[in-house]
Amino acid sequence: MDRLIEKIVDDLNTSVVGREIKYYSVLESTNERAKQLAKEGYNEGTVVIADEQTGGKGRLGRRWFSPPGSGLWLSIILYPELEADRVPLMTIIASLAVYDVIESLGLITEIKWPNDILIKGHKVCGILSEMSVGSTGINYVITGIGLNVNQTYFPEEIREFATSLRIELGKELNRAYLLQIILEAFERYYFMLTRGKIDLLINLWKERMKIINKRIQIKNGQEIASGIVIDISNGGELILRDDTGNIHLYWAGDTSLVK
Ligand code: BT5
């Protein structure tokens, strides 16, 4: 994939995102490598991508399966001027970009709050944004995207609920081209954010979710709650009304629909 990656830099229609791409055949985690590069002062928009991750990460120390030759495992270094509590917006931007790209392939897709992209209820992509905050605000944000592209096989642990673009489309896809259109879409949304169009971004995100007005269960740490999702706040929090009518706001958690 490395040659193709070099080529997309020439074709890439962006001004910031992906102007520098660091390609590795194997990394433990692109998010971890991107953090090191951010500390070294690499430019905003630098992309770290690996063909394989040996320690790909999900939220809360979970594992992200990232075998070689099959997926897009990448992280973007950003220095947004945002309050730390608005960093979930970076995940929102990434999910909008991936959503658009999947839809452009002719597939019906859906965003699952807060950080998954699904096709027919199966997880095709996960996003992990991590940040470093100092006394003067955010030092950097790393937005990591894991997209299953050409897998035809998944480990037992995730087989029931994971999918890839190839499984859904019935044909192999060119990862370098997908990377290019993801980065272009990401930059368009990132510029919306830097121009302050936060309400618009949240609305686009909400429209692409099927969770509103649905009964769900949410697990957040030790806490498990259920109720009806009445909205998503303009900070990206899930607003839940429990069965006693009380309202709860969640920043994070694992949701599942309850029939
Ligand atoms: C996520 O976490 O979905 C965020 C995944 C972010 C991965 C990217 S890859 C590039 C960058 N570098 C990294 O090290 N990470 C980021 P979470 O919502 O916690 O979901 C994790 C769960 O998804 C696991 O516990 C599995 O159940 C499932 N899972 C693991 N690998 C998967 C895969 N390849 N496809 C679908 N589901 C998977």
Side-chain angles (χ1 to χ4, degrees):
M1 185 162 73
D2 48 348
R3 286 237 179 75
L4 291 171
I5 298 289
E6 277 162 20
K7 193 178 165 306
I8 79 141
V9 180
D10 301 336
D11 294 344
L12 196 61
N13 188 13
T14 59
S15 52
V16 174
V17 174
R19 293 324 311 166
E20 181 159 7
I21 298 185
K22 305 278 285 178
Y23 171 79
Y24 301 82
S25 51
V26 186
L27 277 180
E28 191 180 325
S29 154
T30 56
N31 267 33
E32 291 306 315
R33 183 73 190 122
K35 280 182 205 168
Q36 290 164 355
L37 298 182
K39 282 182 204 144
E40 290 169 24
Y42 267 71
N43 287 334
E44 162 136 298
T46 300
V47 170
V48 175
I49 179 158
D51 186 48
E52 174 184 9
Q53 294 184 115
T54 53
K57 300 188 304 175
R59 292 173 298 157
L60 307 167
R62 292 176 193 141
R63 179 166 175 206
W64 183 259
F65 290 99
S66 321
S70 58
L72 280 176
W73 327 124
L74 68 122
S75 302
I76 307 171
I77 299 175
L78 299 153
Y79 305 104
E81 285 180 20
L82 280 179
E83 299 296 323
D85 63 0
R86 305 239 81 177
V87 165
L89 283 164
M90 304 312 303
T91 296
I92 292 176
I93 287 171
S95 55
L96 288 171
V98 174
Y99 180 101
D100 284 2
V101 166
I102 296 178
E103 201 176 48
S104 75
L105 301 172
L107 292 167
I108 295 172
T109 182
E110 171 194 348
I111 296 175
K112 178 170 180 266
W113 184 93
N115 68 327
D116 294 345
I117 316 274
L118 309 182
I119 300 176
K120 291 190 226 133
H122 289 73
K123 184 161 170 173
V124 69
C125 174
I127 297 162
L128 177 68
S129 291
E130 300 182 276
M131 65 175 162
S132 155
V133 185
S135 54
T136 53
I138 291 180
N139 297 326
Y140 60 79
V141 178
I142 305 298
T143 294
I145 300 175
L147 175 64
N148 299 325
V149 181
N150 285 326
Q151 289 103 314
T152 49
Y153 164 89
F154 288 100
E156 181 87 47
E157 213 178 305
I158 58 171
R159 195 165 299 158
E160 274 191 13
F161 58 83
T163 193
S164 71
L165 296 177
R166 180 171 175 176
I167 291 171
E168 299 301 327
L169 274 174
K171 64 171 187 200
E172 199 168 336
L173 286 115
N174 177 321
R175 283 181 293 157
Y177 172 67
L178 280 178
L179 172 67
Q180 177 185 343
I181 57 179
I182 289 172
L183 297 180
E184 289 170 355
F186 185 91
E187 178 167 289
R188 281 195 295 278
Y189 287 117
Y190 186 55
F191 285 171
M192 274 191 200
L193 174 72
T194 56
R195 289 190 204 109
K197 304 217 180 297
I198 291 174
D199 290 350
L200 178 62
L201 285 167
I202 299 277
N203 278 330
L204 289 170
W205 192 55
K206 262 164 55 170
E207 280 168 25
R208 286 156 180 70
M209 267 185 239
K210 290 190 184 150
I211 204 171
I212 294 166
N213 294 326
K214 297 269 165 61
R215 170 168 287 278
I216 62 146
Q217 186 182 71
I218 179 163
K219 286 189 197 153
N220 185 26
Q222 301 296 341
E223 188 193 344
I224 299 185
S226 61
I228 307 282
V229 178
I230 53 172
D231 207 352
I232 302 290
S233 76
N234 66 1
E237 297 127 308
L238 184 130
I239 308 176
L240 186 85
R241 188 178 57 225
D242 70 19
D243 293 339
T244 59
N246 288 327
I247 302 293
H248 306 266
L249 259 67
Y250 294 92
W251 284 101
D254 289 304
T255 56
S256 49
L257 291 178
V258 178
K259 301 248 162 70

